[in-house]
Amino acid sequence: MLEELKQSVYESNMALPRLGLVIFTWGNVSAIDRATGLVAIKPSGVEYDELTVDDIVLVDLDGNVVEGHLRPSSDTPTHLELYRGFPEIGGVVHTHSNYATAFAQACREIPAYGTTHADTFYGAIPCTRPLDDEEIRGAYEKNTGTVILETFSEKDEAAIPGVLVANHGVFTWGKSGKEAVHNAAILERVAEMAYRTEQLNSSIKPIGKAILNKHYLRKHGKGAYYGQK
Ligand SMILES: [Zn+2]
């Protein structure tokens, strides 16, 4: 079932260690087929060098395993919450990539300090509030998704395709698993740049509206003109 989706999710998962975004099993990618509402996701606790396409698990939006011989990622309820809350997205990535997770642990957003950031993220990449004790002891993984949706209640998830979860790590999304991986790599790179920017100039301010708009809007939206037709 959904062989193409499973193959693309397998390839997107394998891209995470190759891009230096995860070590061991510290990350996962999923993608959804909106026509059937089925989600392909990495199995829980399987090392990347042992992962095969046949290990990819198919679940429905309620988390029931529809196909697969392994348990799905323990982060599956977070992915499903994002698919339910962001109906336009097609792929979700979770990582504990180094610099971005440092910002998450510091409970800080990543300010837009330059055009590299503005080309993909239309403003600061937000950090969620920490989960409270009840949310942690309860449906922790689902609540992680809920707090992300809460963080985006007045933001556009298409314009800022990623978030830091306080105390934890990174989630990104996109039209596909592949695009979500692309956004996860850019998020990590701009986190590193932001960290170094602050080291070089501790009083630096985020870039102005004009340059933010110029760089984001020339690549995205109606008036986009970057790249080839
Ligand atoms: Zn995690």
Side-chain angles (χ1 to χ4, degrees):
M1 245 174 122
L2 299 173
E3 295 306 321
E4 252 174 66
L5 187 76
K6 284 192 288 186
Q7 180 67 33
S8 74
V9 164
Y10 167 73
E11 287 168 12
S12 294
N13 272 287
M14 294 306 285
L16 294 183
R18 200 172 64 238
L19 289 165
L21 297 174
V22 310
I23 55 172
F24 307 123
T25 60
W26 300 358
N28 39 70
V29 184
S30 70
I32 188 167
D33 175 56
R34 288 285 180 187
T36 57
L38 296 180
V39 173
I41 191 162
K42 184 180 176 289
S44 182
V46 176
E47 300 265 355
Y48 286 94
D49 51 9
E50 292 167 6
L51 187 67
T52 72
V53 66
D54 293 326
D55 295 333
I56 300 298
V57 186
L58 283 181
V59 298
D60 65 21
L61 277 171
D62 296 319
N64 303 303
V65 174
V66 172
E67 189 188 276
H69 59 281
L70 295 167
R71 285 195 302 156
S73 164
S74 53
D75 295 314
T76 300
T78 315
H79 290 243
L80 299 182
E81 190 71 353
L82 295 181
Y83 288 124
R84 285 189 295 259
F86 298 155
E88 304 292 320
I89 67 172
V92 172
V93 170
H94 175 48
T95 80
H96 292 210
S97 68
N98 205 19
Y99 282 87
T101 299
F103 275 86
Q105 291 184 170
C107 299
R108 281 195 48 189
E109 64 179 26
I110 304 172
Y113 286 134
T115 65
T116 323
H117 181 124
D119 282 336
T120 303
F121 296 95
Y122 195 26
I125 299 160
C127 185
T128 68
R129 65 170 173 80
L131 294 179
D132 66 30
D133 292 357
E134 213 167 293
E135 289 167 326
I136 293 165
R137 292 193 192 107
Y140 170 66
E141 290 82 5
K142 179 177 187 286
N143 291 337
T144 299
T146 309
V147 82
I148 294 171
L149 299 182
E150 179 189 304
T151 305
F152 276 80
S153 60
E154 296 189 350
K155 294 183 196 302
D156 177 1
E157 68 273 13
I160 303 177
V163 69
L164 306 174
V165 175
N167 312 141
H168 183 169
V170 181
F171 281 86
T172 60
W173 45 84
K175 289 191 198 80
S176 62
K178 191 176 174 188
E179 191 179 281
V181 170
H182 185 81
N183 291 335
I186 294 170
L187 194 155
E188 171 60 14
R189 186 58 71 93
V190 299
E192 179 175 359
M193 288 179 184
Y195 178 84
R196 295 191 188 286
T197 301
E198 292 181 3
Q199 282 186 314
L200 291 166
N201 181 350
S202 60
S203 58
I204 192 67
K205 294 277 179 289
I207 57 172
K209 253 278 155 316
I211 189 86
L212 179 71
N213 284 341
K214 183 74 196 169
H215 271 266
Y216 185 79
L217 297 174
R218 72 180 188 155
K219 279 192 150 183
H220 307 268
K222 278 193 214 98
Y225 61 86
Y226 177 89
Q228 304 303 318
K229 284 277 175 215

